[in-house]
Amino acid sequence: MRIWQVLEGGATVKLHSADVVGFLQILQRKGIAVEEVKFRDELTVEFRIEQRNVAWLQQLVRQRGEEMVILKRQGLFWGIQSLYKRPLLVGGIALYLLLTVFLPTRIFFFRVEGNEKIPANRILEIASQCGLEFGAQRRQLRSEKVKNSILEALPQLEWAGINTAGCVATISVRERQIISAPSEAGGVSSIIAVRDGVVDEVTVTNGSPVCKVGQVVKEGQILISGYTDCGISIRATRAKGEVYATTNHKFSAVLPTNWQLRGEQTVKKKKISIIIGKKRINFYQGSGILDANCVRMYAEHAITLPGGFVLPITVVTETWISNEQKADADSIGDQSGRLSQLAEHYLCNQMVAGTVLSRREEFEQTDDTLILNGEYACHEMIGREQSEEILKP
């Protein structure tokens, strides 16, 4: 079969005629090629004819008053013609061909590699300012320009490079290895008092003590000096040691007497909304104003493409939890004990090391509050290191 016949196509027909042989002889005299002839009976024959002769054959059959049925159409012509009956398939093929040609010329996905301390989003932000953004053309992308811009904006980077493969752009970076200089152990420092008190204990591991047990010291007074008199010379060093003293603290606190506790959970609802750019679309009804017994948990999830590109679309999930409210049944004595524990906890957190020795507390009750005024004697470490500046002539 000739190539042109394959491209043009043909048709397999069934002919009913009183003179089948005579009809075939007419086709032969007209020079019409007939192939695959099959006689089904004396009045019926099947054969294959080229597509360009189908119309002429149909006209001849009508003139002779005979009957013809097209059983099957073959060839590229009819294959393409049948696609018109399937628009979705044709549209899909056209879209596939378009994307096959268009997508490799654009950058849609980004990836950063080699970074440890610098966030990938920061590198992508700098690169987007130089044209490396969603949908950028590969031919217009100047990797040298983007590389220099990244290195200029991020001095922590030692090297940067950009490679593209298909729709993916990979930004490879190498961070500078910053070697921190060892801290100098030199210099002179002293241990000073950060609070007034009576010295209880002095421990010196370096330097010279200038206070003793039982001595009253003031805030800012030197307790351990970094200068040591060696007779013919004075040695300057960093003072080290611990000084404990008995100190006095005053503390005041206020506790409301009329308040409510959150009870068991009654209702839990989830509400979804989407933020596109600056516009928010809520998929729930209501004003969003919460009751006094309702708690809202808010979470945002940005939609991110592979490679770290963040789309301007954010999914917001809000969980509204309603709880029962019940009044506080604590007595005044329980509330006083709570305030006292709060005062001790606060004082212990203010001290580097130490404990509360004794306390003197007074409580005052008003219409809706309970006020604590207390004075506390504490055993704590009051020594802090302070560097001293050496002036050279």
Side-chain angles (χ1 to χ4, degrees), residues 165-266:
C167 302
V168 181
T170 303
I171 304 177
S172 303
V173 298
R174 182 168 63 242
E175 299 178 350
R176 295 184 184 274
Q177 300 296 331
I178 302 177
I179 302 176
S180 57
S183 59
E184 297 182 358
V188 182
S189 66
S190 300
I191 303 296
I192 65 170
V194 295
R195 191 181 301 279
D196 300 345
V198 180
V199 178
D200 294 334
E201 181 182 348
V202 179
T203 303
V204 180
T205 57
N206 199 13
S208 302
V210 294
C211 65
K212 57 183 179 180
V213 176
Q215 180 181 346
V216 177
V217 295
K218 298 291 185 180
E219 181 181 352
Q221 181 177 337
I222 297 178
L223 305 177
I224 302 175
S225 176
Y227 297 98
T228 304
D229 188 358
C230 300
I232 59 175
S233 63
I234 297 177
R235 183 171 66 93
T237 184
R238 303 189 68 86
K240 295 183 180 179
E242 295 181 351
V243 178
Y244 283 84
T246 301
T247 59
N248 187 50
H249 292 262
K250 292 184 178 181
F251 179 81
S252 297
V254 179
L255 179 68
T257 55
N258 297 326
W259 52 290
Q260 292 181 331
L261 292 174
R262 185 179 301 167
E264 296 182 357
Q265 176 180 318
T266 57

Side-chain angles (χ1 to χ4, degrees), residues 95-106:
L95 180 61
Y96 174 77
L97 295 176
L98 179 63
L99 294 179
T100 302
V101 176
F102 175 76
L103 287 181
T105 64
R106 301 283 176 167

Side-chain angles (χ1 to χ4, degrees), residues 325-337:
Q325 299 291 330
K326 57 182 181 180
D328 179 34
D330 290 348
S331 62
I332 298 299
D334 295 336
Q335 294 179 359
S336 301

Side-chain angles (χ1 to χ4, degrees), residues 346-388:
Y346 174 79
L347 292 175
C348 291
N349 288 337
Q350 297 301 310
M351 297 183 289
V352 176
T355 58
V356 177
L357 299 177
S358 62
R359 68 186 69 192
R360 185 171 60 86
E361 299 174 335
E362 294 181 359
F363 295 93
E364 179 183 353
Q365 185 178 4
T366 61
D367 294 337
D368 55 357
T369 59
L370 182 64
I371 303 175
L372 165 65
N373 295 312
E375 188 173 350
Y376 303 85
C378 302
H379 175 72
E380 63 173 309
M381 186 175 67
I382 63 172
R384 302 291 188 275
E385 185 178 3
Q386 175 177 283
S387 298
E388 296 185 5

Side-chain angles (χ1 to χ4, degrees), residues 15-231:
L15 177 68
H16 295 274
S17 174
D19 186 9
V20 174
V21 176
F23 190 89
L24 293 177
Q25 291 176 351
I26 294 175
L27 296 180
Q28 184 178 6
R29 288 195 298 269
K30 294 292 183 179
I32 298 176
V34 178
E35 300 177 351
E36 302 178 6
V37 180
K38 299 178 181 178
F39 290 91
R40 297 303 181 185
D41 52 41
E42 296 180 353
L43 303 178
T44 306
V45 63
E46 293 181 5
F47 56 88
R48 187 181 184 279
I49 192 172
E50 296 179 358
Q51 171 60 32
R52 57 184 176 179
N53 298 322
V54 172
W56 180 87
L57 181 63
Q58 290 176 339
Q59 183 179 2
L60 178 62
V61 169
R62 285 194 299 269
Q63 292 176 355
R64 291 172 57 89
E66 296 171 344
E67 183 179 352
M68 184 187 74
V69 179
I70 298 178
L71 299 178
K72 183 172 61 173
R73 298 182 184 271
Q74 301 170 340
L76 182 62
F77 173 81
W78 295 109
I80 296 176
Q81 189 178 24
S82 63
L83 293 178
Y84 288 101
K85 300 179 181 179
R86 307 177 66 180
L88 292 180
L89 177 61
V90 175
I93 294 175
L95 180 61
Y96 174 77
L97 295 176
L98 179 63
L99 294 179
T100 302
V101 176
F102 175 76
L103 287 181
T105 64
R106 301 283 176 167
I107 300 296
F108 294 101
F109 306 104
F110 307 91
R111 183 173 57 189
V112 179
E113 61 181 14
N115 61 312
E116 296 180 358
K117 299 180 181 179
I118 303 177
N121 291 339
R122 175 58 178 165
I123 299 176
L124 291 174
E125 180 182 357
I126 299 299
S128 64
Q129 298 175 1
C130 306
L132 185 59
E133 55 187 2
F134 184 79
Q137 295 186 10
R138 293 183 59 183
R139 293 184 178 180
Q140 297 181 359
L141 179 63
R142 296 179 57 188
S143 60
E144 194 69 22
K145 175 183 176 182
V146 179
K147 180 187 72 173
N148 295 335
S149 300
I150 294 175
L151 294 177
E152 181 180 355
L154 299 173
Q156 304 93 323
L157 296 180
E158 181 181 5
W159 176 85
I162 300 176
N163 298 315
T164 58
C167 302
V168 181
T170 303
I171 304 177
S172 303
V173 298
R174 182 168 63 242
E175 299 178 350
R176 295 184 184 274
Q177 300 296 331
I178 302 177
I179 302 176
S180 57
S183 59
E184 297 182 358
V188 182
S189 66
S190 300
I191 303 296
I192 65 170
V194 295
R195 191 181 301 279
D196 300 345
V198 180
V199 178
D200 294 334
E201 181 182 348
V202 179
T203 303
V204 180
T205 57
N206 199 13
S208 302
V210 294
C211 65
K212 57 183 179 180
V213 176
Q215 180 181 346
V216 177
V217 295
K218 298 291 185 180
E219 181 181 352
Q221 181 177 337
I222 297 178
L223 305 177
I224 302 175
S225 176
Y227 297 98
T228 304
D229 188 358
C230 300

